[in-house]
Amino acid sequence: MVTSSPDSTASAGPNRKASDKSARTRAREFALQALYQHLVGRNAAIDIDAFTRDLAGFHKADSAHFDALMHGCIEQAAELDTLIKPRLDRPLEEVSPIEHGVLWIGAYELQHCLDVPWRVVLNECIELAKSFGGTDGHKYVNGVLHQLAAQLRPAEVAAAPARGGARKTSAS
């Protein structure tokens, strides 16, 4: 049985009730909070992990997916940044820490979580950016990750039927 406290919808994002969130969506949210601590505070991964696991609601998250995202993104930060940088219209240092963390999560999932369809990765990251980022940060995240999906999963992207508003990119 899923119960929610009166304030559980506060971080649910504009279109989703907290009780409607999947365990993986929750894992992404906690991973983003952890990555923010890493990017802004330069805290050690082990300390961030312990702190995050003590946060309210963590027990509803997919802890294995959280581990993969948080530790994977921190361990592969340089490689993920190398993938992301060519798609940016500004220096990475000028990208907000929230969008930077969301881009890490998206790039990591596109590379390593092949059981998650590319459109799900994009949609989940867009929702993270809408919930936690700046006003139009989700549009920026969408543009960057759409290009990255075309590079990292070209066959999957090419096989997907076109949708209204979706950008077409080459797999260059």
Side-chain angles (χ1 to χ4, degrees):
M1 179 171 147
V2 176
T3 59
S4 61
S5 62
D7 64 342
S8 66
T9 57
S11 65
N15 299 323
R16 247 191 228 180
K17 292 181 184 174
S19 60
D20 292 342
K21 291 183 184 180
S22 74
R24 278 201 167 178
T25 294
R26 292 174 192 274
R28 289 179 187 96
E29 289 177 349
F30 284 110
L32 178 59
Q33 292 174 51
L35 294 173
Y36 182 86
Q37 289 182 46
H38 175 73
L39 286 162
V40 174
R42 291 291 172 205
N43 300 341
I46 193 163
D47 296 332
I48 295 169
D49 190 304
F51 175 81
T52 304
R53 287 177 188 281
D54 283 340
L55 293 173
F58 186 84
H59 67 282
K60 295 180 182 178
D62 178 337
S63 60
H65 200 60
F66 166 80
D67 286 340
L69 293 175
M70 190 203 84
H71 293 287
C73 288
I74 290 172
E75 290 165 8
Q76 297 179 18
E79 294 89 350
L80 295 173
D81 284 345
T82 298
L83 284 169
I84 294 165
K85 282 181 186 177
R87 286 147 190 84
L88 301 178
D89 64 353
R90 64 190 90 152
L92 186 58
E93 297 74 31
E94 292 179 15
V95 173
S96 82
I98 292 293
E99 277 100 25
H100 192 171
V102 172
L103 290 171
W104 273 357
I105 290 170
Y108 184 88
E109 282 195 291
L110 287 170
Q111 256 191 323
H112 301 288
C113 303
L114 302 180
D115 61 318
V116 182
W118 73 275
R119 284 206 174 148
V120 171
V121 173
L122 264 65
N123 289 338
E124 289 285 330
C125 289
I126 289 165
E127 289 303 316
L128 281 173
K130 283 181 181 178
S131 295
F132 297 99
T135 304
D136 286 332
H138 67 283
K139 295 176 185 176
Y140 192 69
V141 164
N142 181 40
V144 172
L145 290 180
H146 201 281
Q147 292 176 48
L148 201 54
Q151 176 193 346
L152 296 174
R153 297 196 189 177
E156 188 181 350
V157 172
R163 290 184 2 184
R167 290 187 185 99
K168 291 187 177 184
T169 59
S170 66
S172 57

